[in-house]
Amino acid sequence: GEDVEQSLFLSVREGDSSVINCTYTDSSSTYLYWYKQEPGAGLQLLTYIFSNMDMKQDQRLTVLLNKKDKHLSLRIADTQTGDSAIYFCAESRIIKAAGNKLTFGGGTRVLVKP
Amino acid sequence: DSGVTQTPKHLITATGQRVTLRCSPRSGDLSVYWYQQSLDQGLQFLIQYYNGEERAKGNILERFSAQQFPDLHSELNLSSLELGDSALYFCASSVGNYGGNEQFFGPGTRLTVL
């Protein structure tokens, strides 16, 4: 089945690292994405990882994947006030017949305090 | 700016009415997706089109329909509107057809049904 879950809220101090967690249930080959949504805006693709990888780093962002536990995390280094937003984890199975639908988690609201 | 455009930005209408939401994908993208974001359901995949053909279907109500035109823009038609249809409707686009193709989201259309 398909189910993606995230914690609801994270508060972090400016300059600290943020870690946002996500769990998924689909065991087939899949891509896992992180999107950011600021108030009144659309979803901005931040990064993604394929399910055969363990880690991906992109500037301040690090994605870690624990395949055994089906656990995905996004670490934001040196968190800034501009990082305050809702972060969504999403998965997409790579079965051609399934198209490319994204299954989203409920989103984690990150609040960065100065 | 993702390159995906959606019109209108806001729409206010009454129950029982019909509305059309429009989306233009990024230049070169052949796939278009529609998602609904509401407080109680979160972000839900509705439907995907690829080069004019329906590719994948999600939790789309029978009162809703979509199409993709030869110039690749897409329209989502919502009819017999109910209060519960009030939501943010996102369009996304990608180059390809199946999992692993990054989706880029438009700014959304906020629909309010009174």
Side-chain angles (χ1 to χ4, degrees):
Chain A
E2 303 163 347
D3 198 14
V4 180
E5 294 190 355
Q6 300 177 238
S7 51
L8 285 177
F9 183 74
L10 176 68
S11 178
V12 63
R13 291 224 171 269
E14 191 175 15
D16 289 349
S17 291
S18 309
V19 179
I20 307 166
N21 295 302
C22 170
T23 58
Y24 62 100
T25 57
D26 199 326
S27 58
S28 58
S29 295
T30 188
Y31 278 84
L32 295 148
Y33 300 85
W34 284 103
Y35 282 87
K36 175 184 179 183
Q37 185 179 28
E38 295 181 82
L43 290 102
Q44 174 193 354
L45 176 62
L46 293 176
T47 187
Y48 64 94
I49 191 168
F50 183 51
S51 57
N52 71 350
M53 297 169 65
D54 297 321
M55 186 184 94
K56 181 177 180 182
Q57 187 155 5
D58 185 0
Q59 297 182 330
R60 291 192 299 124
L61 305 178
T62 303
V63 179
L64 294 177
L65 179 60
N66 180 328
K67 291 180 283 294
K68 176 175 165 289
D69 295 336
K70 294 192 178 68
H71 181 267
L72 180 75
S73 67
L74 174 70
R75 178 177 178 271
I76 306 173
D78 187 25
T79 311
Q80 303 297 308
T81 54
D83 294 324
S84 291
I86 301 176
Y87 291 80
F88 290 94
C89 166
E91 67 171 352
S92 173
R93 300 168 66 190
I94 55 160
I95 299 173
K96 289 186 180 182
N100 187 23
K101 75 169 195 173
L102 290 174
T103 301
F104 284 90
T108 299
R109 183 178 295 275
V110 174
L111 177 63
V112 182
K113 296 181 178 177
Chain B
D1 185 357
S2 66
V4 178
T5 60
Q6 291 187 247
T7 56
K9 198 171 172 67
H10 300 279
L11 203 45
I12 301 174
T13 188
T15 54
Q17 295 299 303
R18 173 190 166 94
V19 296
T20 298
L21 281 52
R22 183 188 166 100
C23 168
S24 292
R26 292 187 322 158
S27 177
D29 284 359
L30 298 178
S31 271
V32 169
Y33 312 79
W34 288 97
Y35 292 85
Q36 179 195 59
Q37 185 178 34
S38 62
L39 283 173
D40 53 344
Q41 297 287 330
L43 264 163
Q44 298 273 322
F45 168 76
L46 296 178
I47 199 163
Q48 175 193 356
Y49 279 82
Y50 176 74
N51 206 19
E53 300 287 327
E54 184 182 303
R55 187 68 186 87
K57 212 165 184 175
N59 300 324
I60 186 166
L61 299 171
E62 284 192 14
R63 300 183 285 108
F64 295 0
S65 65
Q67 56 183 327
Q68 185 180 28
F69 295 86
D71 67 352
L72 301 176
H73 91 271
S74 177
E75 291 181 357
L76 179 67
N77 299 295
L78 315 176
S79 61
S80 302
L81 285 167
E82 301 175 0
L83 295 177
D85 298 327
S86 295
L88 200 47
Y89 291 84
F90 286 111
C91 170
S93 72
S94 69
V95 172
N97 186 12
Y98 50 88
N101 280 276
E102 300 159 48
Q103 294 184 31
F104 296 88
F105 281 72
T109 293
R110 183 170 294 281
L111 173 66
T112 303
V113 182
L114 301 174

